[in-house]
Amino acid sequence: GASSTPFFLWFINAGSGGQSGLEIHRRLTKMFVPAPDGDVDGAAYLLSGDKAPLKPYKKPEYNNLYFVWDVLDAYVEILRPLRVVVAGGDGTCVWVMNALSAHPGIQARLDKDKDRSWGNGPIMAMVPLGTGNDMSRFLRWGNGYSSANDLDVDGFTQAVKEAEVYSMDRWKIEIDPPPQGTTTFGDQSVSYFCNYFSIGVDAKVAKDFESCRNSCGSCFCCPCINKLWYAWHGGKCTTACTCTRVQENATIKHCDNTEGETDLTEFVSHDSVVFLNIKSFSAGLDMWESHTSRHPMPVLSSGHTEDENDANDGLLDVVGVDGTMQLGRAQVSACCAHFDRLSQGDKFSIQINRPIHMQMDGEAWYLDDQSIDPKAGEEGKLTNPVKISISRAKSIPMVRRSQMPAQK
């Protein structure tokens, strides 16, 4: 029957960050034992790993989302407030967000809430098990857990009940032709991001890190060790990187301001360009706040000023980065590095003319002919330009804590 007590539906990535997801799943499975009257407080499912309780099914119409769709179908009509908890990294959180946004039953449930308070949900929270955990930092769920013992389940669920609902912007990105073999796009040309999309040397570091982790998973045993590996790849790229500046590889246009379309290419003499939705990048950097703009900002038709920014303002913040050393200095102290504010807007077009690295919400790839056509394409070449468009998509309700939890 109906109840005002929230039901917690957990989705856990066993392979995220410190690989503590399996232990969290075991603890939750023991906790969620039905009472004599059949009532239960929640359910927990693994998204990946050999010990997943259900085989993940892929439905092509849902854009290659590796997700247990049967679970969504089973709980979409539950007569209790539904709280979805994702234990994983940024990429895992976005997979689940995209799944919730694509599932017609979930959307129908949200649409019934006319005042947009979303009390019945589903509303999403997260347990940070990744390396950077930028979404969790922004929504104040923590910087990251080093082990399953760091998670106080009862304290966490109580915090979810008390947290505010935050309607978070999502962004549609279309690439023509798309890269093959990515989880982000699958076999489609359209995907969505919530944290960031970037082009350049930061994406190369992310790609090198992920390739290394895939080849030797045992060397990435906890978030602290993972960050050391990440720093090593960043340092290696600083001393031996042959990446060219973004403006030599791409043209970038801002399509929403009082003067119409603005070509930003002349301003992107940087090693990376980042399209930011949240105030956290590369494990906690607020790049928009730490700025030294080198040129006048385009005037927005909305009258929005450049000192205003949030993940629910309907705008992306575009920032230029001068190499991994600048990111490293900023991690040491906010006063050590300043990033270039390039633009704010809700619509952008990009044309990639030469091979270049990209990343989106935790997944990186190298865009060249081989990534577009793995069978016939040549590595390191881009025969035809690739067109990218970015525009605003439907937002999704999250829960945001009033303050960060104390770290153990």
Side-chain angles (χ1 to χ4, degrees):
S3 171
S4 60
T5 304
F7 183 91
F8 286 84
L9 183 59
W10 290 68
F11 294 104
I12 304 162
N13 188 344
S16 288
Q19 304 181 20
S20 54
L22 283 175
E23 178 58 30
I24 291 175
H25 178 259
R26 280 193 288 266
R27 287 174 56 192
L28 292 172
T29 301
K30 292 178 181 178
M31 290 179 64
F32 295 145
V33 176
D37 61 358
D39 196 21
V40 67
D41 292 330
Y45 297 92
L46 289 173
L47 290 175
S48 60
D50 296 335
K51 297 181 180 180
L54 295 178
K55 181 180 178 181
Y57 292 95
K58 182 179 72 173
K59 293 190 176 181
E61 64 267 31
Y62 292 129
N63 194 22
N64 203 34
L65 293 167
Y66 296 95
F67 199 79
V68 186
W69 283 91
D70 288 351
V71 176
L72 285 181
D73 292 340
Y75 292 99
V76 68
E77 295 183 1
I78 190 170
L79 299 178
R80 292 170 61 179
L82 182 59
R83 303 295 180 257
V84 175
V85 181
V86 181
D90 288 338
T92 308
C93 292
V94 174
W95 293 345
V96 176
M97 288 177 73
N98 288 338
L100 293 171
S101 299
H103 193 283
I106 295 293
Q107 284 305 300
R109 184 182 176 110
L110 289 171
D111 290 341
K112 289 179 181 178
D113 202 335
K114 301 300 182 183
D115 64 359
R116 295 177 66 84
S117 64
W118 293 299
N120 285 324
I123 306 173
M124 198 173 114
M126 64 207 63
V127 172
L129 301 183
T131 302
N133 300 309
D134 285 298
M135 183 181 289
S136 177
R137 292 169 188 267
F138 174 71
L139 295 173
R140 305 181 187 130
W141 291 105
N143 299 338
Y145 292 170
S146 58
S147 73
N149 293 329
D150 292 343
L151 176 62
D152 174 3
V153 176
D154 291 335
F156 175 84
T157 54
Q158 183 61 36
V160 172
K161 295 174 185 178
E162 297 172 355
E164 67 172 343
V165 179
Y166 183 90
S167 181
M168 193 169 189
D169 291 338
R170 294 170 64 248
W171 296 89
K172 176 182 176 181
I173 181 167
E174 185 168 5
I175 298 185
D176 183 25
Q180 302 298 308
T182 67
T183 302
T184 300
F185 286 95
D187 54 4
Q188 307 292 313
S189 61
V190 175
S191 190
Y192 299 86
F193 68 94
C194 301
N195 295 0
Y196 59 82
F197 169 71
S198 70
I199 304 169
V201 69
D202 70 291
K204 174 176 169 51
V205 174
K207 175 65 174 173
D208 291 346
F209 170 84
E210 192 59 32
S211 297
C212 185
R213 181 162 64 174
N214 289 338
S215 64
C216 185
S218 61
C219 296
F220 296 77
C221 56
C222 70
C224 183
I225 297 296
N226 291 1
K227 289 177 182 178
L228 291 175
W229 276 111
Y230 215 104
W232 183 81
H233 283 290
K236 182 180 68 172
C237 199
T238 298
T239 57
C241 187
T242 59
C243 298
T244 56
R245 291 182 176 259
V246 173
Q247 68 179 178
E248 299 175 33
N249 296 38
T251 58
I252 301 175
K253 294 182 179 181
H254 172 202
C255 307
D256 179 31
N257 55 74
T258 56
E259 299 178 358
E261 190 174 80
T262 299
D263 193 339
L264 301 175
T265 308
E266 63 177 295
F267 304 128
V268 293
S269 57
H270 301 285
D271 297 320
S272 289
V273 173
V274 187
F275 296 80
L276 293 161
N277 187 45
I278 64 175
K279 299 180 182 182
S280 183
F281 179 80
S282 188
L285 296 179
D286 187 346
M287 301 171 73
W288 191 256
E289 184 67 23
S290 304
H291 74 97
T292 302
S293 292
R294 304 173 186 173
H295 60 276
M297 286 274 294
V299 179
L300 297 172
S301 57
S302 64
H304 187 97
T305 66
E306 66 176 89
D307 288 326
E308 302 174 61
N309 74 313
D310 210 341
N312 61 0
D313 61 5
L315 298 173
L316 285 173
D317 306 324
V318 188
V319 176
V321 181
D322 292 325
T324 57
M325 186 65 73
Q326 187 184 35
L327 290 171
R329 290 197 303 268
Q331 288 283 6
V332 174
S333 174
C335 65
C336 292
H338 298 282
F339 305 99
D340 187 16
R341 288 182 177 180
L342 298 174
S343 183
Q344 283 182 313
D346 63 1
K347 190 175 182 180
F348 295 90
S349 65
I350 306 167
Q351 179 171 297
I352 305 298
N353 302 311
R354 296 172 59 182
I356 197 168
H357 285 85
M358 301 177 179
Q359 70 164 327
M360 192 168 91
D361 285 353
E363 182 178 16
W365 64 92
Y366 184 57
L367 186 70
D368 62 358
D369 283 346
Q370 188 176 75
S371 69
I372 294 170
D373 186 353
K375 293 183 178 179
E378 186 174 348
E379 184 178 5
K381 288 188 176 182
L382 193 63
T383 304
N384 299 309
V386 174
K387 296 183 178 180
I388 302 174
S389 64
I390 301 174
S391 58
R392 191 180 179 192
K394 189 175 182 179
S395 60
I396 191 165
M398 310 288 286
V399 281
R400 188 180 190 184
R401 295 186 68 152
S402 58
Q403 61 184 14
M404 286 283 278
Q407 297 293 302
K408 294 183 178 181

